[in-house]
Amino acid sequence: MAASLQQVQQTRSQVACNDCHLGELCIPQGLTHCDVERLSNTVRRNRTLRKGEHIYQAGEHYNSIYALKSGTAKLVHMDRMGSESIVSLLLPGELAGFDGVASGRYLCSVVALETVSFCELPSHQIDRLSREMPALYQVILQRTGGKFDECLERMRLLRRPADQRLAAFLLSLSERYRLRGFSHVEFRLTLTRQEIGDHLGLALETVSRMLGQFESAQLIAIEGKLIRILDEEGLQRYSPR
Amino acid sequence: MAASLQQVQQTRSQVACNDCHLGELCIPQGLTHCDVERLSNTVRRNRTLRKGEHIYQAGEHYNSIYALKSGTAKLVHMDRMGSESIVSLLLPGELAGFDGVASGRYLCSVVALETVSFCELPSHQIDRLSREMPALYQVILQRTGGKFDECLERMRLLRRPADQRLAAFLLSLSERYRLRGFSHVEFRLTLTRQEIGDHLGLALETVSRMLGQFESAQLIAIEGKLIRILDEEGLQRYSPR
DNA sequence: CGGCCGCTTGATGAGTGTCAAGCGCCGTGG
DNA sequence: CCACGGCGCTTGACACTCATCAAGCGGCCG
């Protein structure tokens, strides 16, 4: 099967956390070289998925925290009515799985938006290592709390008008790409208009209209899914800091 | 001064966590009697505040997790534009302070809506005890993650129509009062219409109108701030799920 | 008693969702 | 190779929810 062959190759090219290009973006932030070494030994590395496949699904038992290594994914919360809310867009180096910490079951699903690779950190290893490494305990707790902070920020956005939501979304994406060494001026949206709408609480038509509006105002240039930011300050004037 | 006299009395009537009427609602959930004992010794107890005073304010250093013991308070996130968003309404036994875990500074403020008493659990004690008590580590992590879950639930609500938001709010309040041994049929709103609006992302006029609408539909009875739930199932028909 | 605050109620308009039509692109299958 | 169909996107017309503005009422406190 093609998938398993691919996995074998990936396994061969495993990279220890200390050598990972993501560095501090991922969990190692604030840990000593030695601590990272120990952490690294418990990580299941470089598993890959293709577009549309899921890392985990809502309802499954909470087993692990996941670190996205390459590609993008969406963290999705399904409404009972079938309408999905996209809690966040995950870029390389970002972590997922915290929605399972409290209840022991994941509340959301993580779905690959393109081919992705990711690492897996089993929760029992986290618990074990946290006991021995206070710094790891701090990191895990802070990352968990950080998800709450992100949520607050998102809620603040959700009650602003559509143009401000979209401007903030684009600027946030730009900044996050910059932190990861990609261009912050030009990047490809891996979300459809519908998905951007699901993320921002807007209809896809509104997203399309607002993008068009930004383009006519010379703030951005659009070529399909490719976005080029022409006037960052202009966008910032929308976004209430 | 009346306040300090009151505080002396409160100090005298201190209650160890094991004897606290809140029991499992607060942190002790899942801890052994002995663990709670140790925890109890590090807790600063029964401090009181009057309406309008704050337990902590946005921007202050993260020092402690707080447990509300009696009274109600609001967890408030200030927008730069002065408009405030009420992240949550805190009832007795509920915890606050997790908005400071990630960044080391509180993002929100906690303001008393009436006279409140509360306990304080210093963060350095949490860190110290967590290392020795795996169960406490679990509880703290789960509570932190739980705040994220609450946030998700709230965001789901925020994109539903006004009547559904209000119905869900009332039902949630009712349920939480029930868990605390109060009547779930009749309770007093400690929030003004404006504050309910800030919580649900609505104008105060809309809140007032929707309440009126529920009253004419015989779902609730209103006497100022006193709410009586007449038809719980009727309300649930609004609330999705 | 007067003034402020919290609340209700009404009138109006803006911002968006919804519905509908059409276009271009891509993959599929004839 | 081309025709077809589906999907993602754009654009327009319309409806509707809800915010805003405004007025007035009752209660509480100074």
Side-chain angles (χ1 to χ4, degrees):
Chain A
M1 207 164 280
S4 62
L5 177 62
Q6 198 174 18
Q7 282 203 333
V8 169
Q9 293 177 331
Q10 297 286 354
T11 308
R12 200 167 287 159
S13 74
Q14 285 197 359
V15 177
C17 292
N18 269 318
D19 302 325
C20 177
H21 67 286
L22 292 170
E24 300 269 306
L25 283 174
C26 186
I27 294 214
Q29 163 211 52
L31 299 186
T32 66
H33 197 84
C34 175
D35 281 352
V36 174
E37 186 77 30
R38 294 186 59 192
L39 182 67
S40 185
N41 291 329
T42 72
V43 171
R44 288 156 70 178
R45 237 173 292 281
N46 272 3
R47 312 178 52 188
T48 72
L49 292 176
R50 278 165 305 189
K51 180 172 182 172
E53 298 178 316
H54 57 266
I55 296 184
Y56 61 78
Q57 262 184 320
E60 290 176 6
H61 278 101
Y62 163 65
N63 280 323
S64 303
I65 294 296
Y66 297 90
L68 199 57
K69 201 161 177 192
S70 67
T72 55
K74 57 178 178 180
L75 182 65
V76 178
H77 186 108
M78 269 306 230
D79 230 331
R80 336 254 163 197
M81 308 314 297
S83 70
E84 70 179 35
S85 147
I86 297 191
V87 177
S88 66
L89 170 62
L90 298 170
L91 301 190
E94 293 183 325
L95 305 177
F98 296 100
D99 54 305
V101 167
S103 70
R105 286 180 181 275
Y106 295 112
L107 298 177
C108 305
S109 308
V110 172
V111 180
L113 292 166
E114 53 195 321
T115 299
V116 298
S117 67
F118 61 95
C119 297
E120 177 177 1
L121 182 51
S123 59
H124 66 272
Q125 299 284 15
I126 296 177
D127 295 344
R128 187 176 62 79
L129 288 178
S130 290
R131 229 165 290 145
E132 306 167 14
M133 297 163 36
L136 178 62
Y137 164 74
Q138 285 301 331
V139 171
I140 293 295
L141 191 59
Q142 281 173 16
R143 291 304 182 109
T144 308
K147 292 298 168 185
F148 176 51
D149 295 359
E150 285 174 26
C151 232
L152 283 183
E153 180 61 26
R154 215 166 106 63
M155 288 199 328
R156 216 185 51 169
L157 253 183
L158 283 182
R159 48 179 72 180
R160 311 227 137 250
D163 50 1
Q164 293 184 21
R165 294 187 213 180
L166 195 59
F169 171 69
L170 292 175
L171 287 172
S172 146
L173 256 187
S174 163
E175 172 63 7
R176 285 155 70 201
Y177 274 124
R178 195 180 62 71
L179 284 175
R180 283 158 182 79
F182 298 105
S183 167
H184 68 288
V185 178
E186 182 171 322
F187 47 86
R188 200 172 49 83
L189 293 174
T190 51
L191 296 173
T192 66
R193 304 290 191 262
Q194 172 70 58
E195 287 168 325
I196 297 174
D198 288 339
H199 182 51
L200 300 177
L202 299 171
L204 72 94
E205 294 93 332
T206 306
V207 173
S208 181
R209 272 186 258 268
M210 290 299 153
L211 282 174
Q213 193 173 304
F214 286 168
E215 188 168 36
S216 357
Q218 309 270 6
L219 298 176
I220 60 176
I222 313 176
E223 287 173 44
K225 299 220 161 224
L226 197 72
I227 297 282
R228 195 166 37 228
I229 294 186
L230 303 176
D231 181 358
E232 189 171 326
E233 291 194 0
L235 281 178
Q236 271 159 354
R237 245 170 279 131
Y238 278 89
S239 160
R241 177 165 14 168
Chain B
M1 205 161 284
S4 61
L5 177 62
Q6 196 174 19
Q7 283 203 332
V8 169
Q9 293 177 332
Q10 296 286 356
T11 309
R12 200 167 287 158
S13 74
Q14 286 198 356
V15 177
C17 293
N18 268 318
D19 302 326
C20 177
H21 67 286
L22 292 171
E24 301 269 306
L25 282 174
C26 185
I27 294 217
Q29 161 211 50
L31 300 186
T32 67
H33 198 83
C34 174
D35 282 350
V36 174
E37 186 78 27
R38 294 185 60 194
L39 181 68
S40 186
N41 291 330
T42 72
V43 172
R44 290 155 72 176
R45 236 172 291 282
N46 272 4
R47 312 177 54 189
T48 72
L49 292 176
R50 280 165 305 188
K51 180 172 180 172
E53 297 179 316
H54 57 266
I55 297 184
Y56 61 78
Q57 263 184 320
E60 289 176 6
H61 277 101
Y62 163 64
N63 281 322
S64 303
I65 294 294
Y66 297 89
L68 200 56
K69 200 161 179 191
S70 68
T72 56
K74 57 179 178 179
L75 181 65
V76 177
H77 185 107
M78 269 306 230
D79 231 331
R80 337 254 164 197
M81 307 314 298
S83 70
E84 69 178 37
S85 147
I86 297 191
V87 177
S88 66
L89 170 61
L90 298 171
L91 301 191
E94 294 183 324
L95 305 178
F98 296 100
D99 53 306
V101 168
S103 70
R105 286 182 181 275
Y106 295 113
L107 299 177
C108 304
S109 308
V110 173
V111 179
L113 292 166
E114 54 196 320
T115 299
V116 300
S117 67
F118 61 96
C119 298
E120 177 177 0
L121 182 51
S123 58
H124 67 272
Q125 299 283 15
I126 295 178
D127 295 343
R128 187 176 62 79
L129 288 177
S130 290
R131 228 164 293 146
E132 305 167 14
M133 298 163 38
L136 178 61
Y137 164 76
Q138 285 299 334
V139 171
I140 293 296
L141 190 58
Q142 281 174 14
R143 291 305 184 108
T144 308
K147 290 299 167 184
F148 176 50
D149 294 359
E150 286 175 25
C151 233
L152 284 183
E153 180 61 25
R154 214 166 107 61
M155 288 200 328
R156 216 185 50 169
L157 253 182
L158 283 183
R159 48 179 73 180
R160 312 225 137 250
D163 50 0
Q164 293 186 21
R165 294 188 214 180
L166 195 59
F169 172 69
L170 292 175
L171 287 172
S172 146
L173 258 186
S174 164
E175 171 64 7
R176 286 155 69 200
Y177 274 125
R178 196 179 61 71
L179 284 175
R180 282 157 183 79
F182 297 105
S183 166
H184 68 289
V185 179
E186 181 172 321
F187 48 86
R188 199 172 50 83
L189 292 174
T190 51
L191 296 172
T192 66
R193 305 289 190 262
Q194 172 69 58
E195 288 168 326
I196 297 174
D198 288 338
H199 182 52
L200 300 177
L202 299 171
L204 72 95
E205 294 92 332
T206 306
V207 173
S208 181
R209 271 185 259 268
M210 291 299 154
L211 283 175
Q213 192 173 307
F214 287 168
E215 188 168 37
S216 352
Q218 309 270 9
L219 298 176
I220 60 175
I222 312 177
E223 287 174 44
K225 300 222 160 220
L226 198 71
I227 297 282
R228 195 168 36 230
I229 295 186
L230 303 177
D231 181 0
E232 189 171 326
E233 290 194 0
L235 280 178
Q236 271 158 354
R237 244 170 280 130
Y238 278 89
S239 163
R241 180 207 3 186

